Amino acid sequence: MKEPVKKGLWFFASVLSLLIVWEAACRLLAVPAFILPPPSTVLLSLWVLKEQLLGQHLWATLREVALGLGVSILFGVSLALVMTLSKTVERLVYPYIVISQTIPIIALSPVFILWFGYDLTGKIAVTILFTFFPIVVSTYDGLKACDRDMLNLLRTMGASKWQLFKKLQLPVSLPHFFSGLKVAATYSVSGATIGEWLGASEGLGYFGRRASGNFQAPALFASVLLLSVLGMLLFWLAGRLELWAAPQTRTRKNKKQ
């Protein structure tokens, strides 16, 4: 049996076992549904509310995630390239990128909402706040991870800056970039959700907050389930993209195994 299939079966079995234990515990211990609903009730709520959750709120959250993550990739990679090419920019900017992470992100989120408003722009800004750091740092570290001896050798052979970047720096930096992208992909869901908690009229975070205020635990857990699936799907897509853009990473992993 192939390794990916085996891992998938193990994951499916573990999830199924968890759901069975969860369902049995709720039934046998008579846990109130407004505290911890059994999985069957959550799935039933997801089916009943599918038009709201899947037809409206999921797409609103997905739009915020896609736009926020896309902007973070664009500006994060660009800034990493500029810092790699310019020592001055690196000395000026990099310390502030690190310092920005010493402040709790969730504490800065209301500030971003205050600056950018409660509309789509505010949600995108909060998502960028969560996703920008892992992308810019991982890409920068990847670009700086090139072997100095190899760089000097290529320079002595007359390679231009573009050739150095294309033939050496880019291939070396791709695994680092995709590692940061996987982290940012999962963080983007958290960023969009917090942005919706702070103020929104649609989205899974908004729906979950409203369900919690009305003590509708099954609906709340249904929205959390969709957010979890969305995060896992984005992580999986980042992995598929890595296999397409940097197949040497998988080859190296297989050799280690």
Side-chain angles (χ1 to χ4, degrees), residues 206-229:
Y206 161 77
F207 182 89
R209 182 172 61 84
R210 190 181 64 181
S212 176
N214 294 329
F215 296 98
Q216 297 174 337
L220 170 61
F221 274 77
S223 65
V224 172
L225 174 62
L226 287 179
L227 287 170
S228 177
V229 171

Side-chain angles (χ1 to χ4, degrees), residues 200-250:
S201 58
E202 59 181 354
L204 293 174
Y206 161 77
F207 182 89
R209 182 172 61 84
R210 190 181 64 181
S212 176
N214 294 329
F215 296 98
Q216 297 174 337
L220 170 61
F221 274 77
S223 65
V224 172
L225 174 62
L226 287 179
L227 287 170
S228 177
V229 171
L230 179 58
M232 290 188 291
L233 179 60
L234 290 172
F235 184 90
W236 179 82
L237 288 175
R240 295 298 97 184
L241 184 60
E242 180 182 12
L243 291 180
W244 173 78
Q248 71 275 8
T249 304
R250 172 55 62 90

Side-chain angles (χ1 to χ4, degrees), residues 64-204:
E64 297 159 5
V65 166
L67 292 174
L69 188 58
V71 172
S72 290
I73 293 173
L74 177 62
F75 285 98
V77 172
S78 300
L79 182 57
L81 287 171
V82 173
M83 288 193 299
T84 304
L85 296 173
S86 174
K87 288 288 185 181
T88 302
V89 175
E90 177 188 0
R91 295 190 185 100
L92 290 175
V93 175
Y94 193 79
Y96 289 100
I97 295 176
V98 176
I99 291 172
S100 68
Q101 298 303 299
T102 62
I103 305 173
I105 296 179
I106 197 169
L108 286 176
S109 299
V111 177
F112 272 55
I113 291 294
L114 178 66
W115 288 347
F116 297 99
Y118 291 94
D119 55 3
L120 180 61
T121 306
K123 314 302 182 301
I124 294 173
V126 175
T127 305
I128 294 172
L129 180 65
F130 274 73
T131 57
F132 182 78
F133 181 79
I135 289 177
V136 67
V137 171
S138 62
T139 305
Y140 172 76
D141 288 343
L143 291 170
K144 300 288 285 187
C146 294
D147 189 295
R148 290 295 171 186
D149 293 334
M150 183 62 70
L151 277 173
N152 293 331
L153 175 62
L154 292 177
R155 287 194 181 103
T156 58
M157 296 173 66
S160 64
K161 288 186 177 181
W162 168 246
Q163 289 173 326
L164 289 174
F165 173 76
K166 181 181 179 181
K167 298 297 184 179
L168 184 60
Q169 289 179 297
L170 181 60
V172 172
S173 66
L174 281 178
H176 295 79
F177 164 74
F178 281 109
S179 295
L181 179 61
K182 291 175 183 177
V183 175
T186 56
Y187 282 4
S188 64
V189 179
S190 300
T193 303
I194 290 177
E196 292 167 355
W197 283 350
L198 295 173
S201 58
E202 59 181 354
L204 293 174

